[in-house]
Amino acid sequence: MMRCSDYRRSMMVDPRDADPQLQGHRVSCHDCQVYTERLLRFESRLDRALRVAVLPLPVKSPPQTRLSAVYRQGWWAMAASVLLAVVVVGALWLSVPGPSLAADVVTHMAGEPDAWRRTDVPVHSSELQDVLRNSHLRLATEAGVVSYASSCEFRGHRVPHLVIQTASGPVTVMVLVHEPAAKALRFDEGGYRGVIVPVPGHGSLAVLTQESATTSKAIEQIAARVLDSIVWTG
Amino acid sequence: MKDQVGGNQKRARFQALCQSLRPDLLRFAFWLSRDRALAEDVVQETLLRGWKAHDSLLDEAAAKPWFLTIIRREYARSFERKRFVTVDVDELVAREEPMLAAAEAQDLAEMRAAIFKLPDEYREPLVMQVLMGLSTAEIARELGLSGAAVLTRLFRARKQLRTLCGEDTSLDPQE
């Protein structure tokens, strides 16, 4: 039986450690669940803080004749072209702002790896209703088999965290009532691909999958289906 | 002709590899040196050295730690070329403002200032783990430490960071 102090020490070393013993303790200890949520939020902030915006390097195009001369010199030619391409593409890539809400969603996933299993066994309907009722919504039509439903702490609020079994495999849905989004955002990070779509008047909805074969467009279609099935009750 | 095609393919693969890794390499060099200009120099030199030695990279999946080794070596060389003076962390934060701010929320700026304040021996393994995704064993290999020493440093790094950021540490374990 793992002690809380040992669990927390391990989490301080690596909050994303998926060791089954750690997961077992987390499931059985409410205080350590709360502690983990806090730690994962901190970790998400740390991760975002480390991803500083890298300023593009100045790119100066050398005159054609000089470039040609350089290109005639063995590996220098290759090295120069590698650097030039890296600078240009790197600059473009880095001009994209970091998806901080997406990063938090992905970080949250690390805390509940068990939710992702493929199954056709639905979660008990009363359990699902309890989770949804707390966020003033219900699912009007079946968007698929809901195999997991939990009311999770996310950025200081309890939010529904559902796993729905679809033809593309299990997808996670988080109803982020307190997180308005100006526009839809696609993300692909940490082994998860997903979208965050705005829900006017009700924050946003995050839908993500671990299936690398599922396209962003397919995930958007799933998100649209889920949105269609939501009835807001408050 | 066949050699030329093979060479082009090899070059394209290496280009793609550099393109995908460069942002994180630059960030790693930045957190290592806490100096943007130096980080850019170190990474540029690293990519050149990487190209020269790319035949020794047998598995592209191992490219990240492979480049990290070169970066750390290059960074150490920069000390041989130039003697750096110790600077105040507040000055560092102000100097690196363009790199740190970028319209981010205040809490990220505070976190970054706190990371700056971490001792090198704690900051480096933490950046390797969180930013570069290295395992404890890979960090241990890279830093020439035992696995237990890496675990201790990661633990202390987070503990200090949480204190510096004013987090509620009442539930944090003691060492």
Side-chain angles (χ1 to χ4, degrees), chain A residues 124-135 151:
Chain A
H124 199 279
S125 63
S126 63
E127 198 178 327
L128 175 61
Q129 282 164 17
D130 283 348
V131 167
L132 299 179
R133 193 183 303 116
N134 290 339
S135 294
S151 187

Side-chain angles (χ1 to χ4, degrees), chain A residues 48-135:
Chain A
R48 281 183 284 137
L50 289 175
R51 294 183 191 284
V52 288
V54 181
L55 301 178
L57 297 172
V59 182
K60 291 178 186 168
S61 303
Q64 193 56 44
T65 50
R66 202 176 145 205
L67 188 67
S68 303
V70 170
Y71 270 48
R72 280 194 291 273
Q73 298 173 30
W75 69 266
W76 274 109
M78 296 183 192
S81 64
V82 166
L83 271 181
L84 201 63
V86 160
V87 166
V88 173
V89 175
L92 289 173
W93 187 86
L94 289 164
S95 64
V96 179
S100 56
L101 178 58
D104 278 356
V105 169
V106 167
T107 300
H108 181 81
M109 293 305 113
E112 301 186 51
D114 293 343
W116 283 101
R117 64 196 163 87
R118 278 176 186 269
T119 176
D120 51 8
V121 180
V123 69
H124 199 279
S125 63
S126 63
E127 198 178 327
L128 175 61
Q129 282 164 17
D130 283 348
V131 167
L132 299 179
R133 193 183 303 116
N134 290 339
S135 294

Side-chain angles (χ1 to χ4, degrees), chain B residues 88-100 116:
Chain B
D88 184 80
V89 169
D90 292 337
E91 283 177 30
L92 263 177
V93 172
R95 195 178 72 204
E96 297 301 343
E97 199 175 9
M99 189 104 171
L100 297 177
F116 264 0

Side-chain angles (χ1 to χ4, degrees), chain B residues 118 122 126 152-161:
Chain B
L118 279 182
Y122 297 157
L126 187 68
T152 301
R153 289 189 185 195
L154 289 170
F155 176 86
R156 289 179 181 167
R158 282 195 175 83
K159 197 166 174 63
Q160 283 196 19
L161 204 53

Side-chain angles (χ1 to χ4, degrees), chain A residues 16 40-52 99-100 102-104 106-107 189-190, chain B residues 24 27 31 104 108 111-112 115 126-127 129-133 158 161:
Chain A
R16 294 188 171 90
L40 286 173
R41 271 205 305 282
F42 183 80
E43 195 70 7
S44 169
R45 235 174 92 204
L46 169 61
D47 185 75
R48 281 183 284 137
L50 289 175
R51 294 183 191 284
V52 288
S100 56
D104 278 356
V106 167
T107 300
E189 60 181 284
Chain B
D24 278 347
R27 290 181 181 116
W31 288 113
E104 297 275 19
L108 289 193
M111 173 73 86
R112 284 167 182 164
I115 298 169
L126 187 68
V127 175
Q129 185 194 51
V130 180
L131 180 68
M132 309 303 286
R158 282 195 175 83
L161 204 53

Side-chain angles (χ1 to χ4, degrees), chain B residues 56-76:
Chain B
S56 67
L57 177 63
L58 302 175
D59 178 10
E60 283 187 9
K64 213 178 241 188
W66 186 75
F67 272 119
L68 282 196
T69 304
I70 305 178
I71 283 184
R72 296 185 70 246
R73 214 175 283 152
E74 277 309 307
Y75 178 56

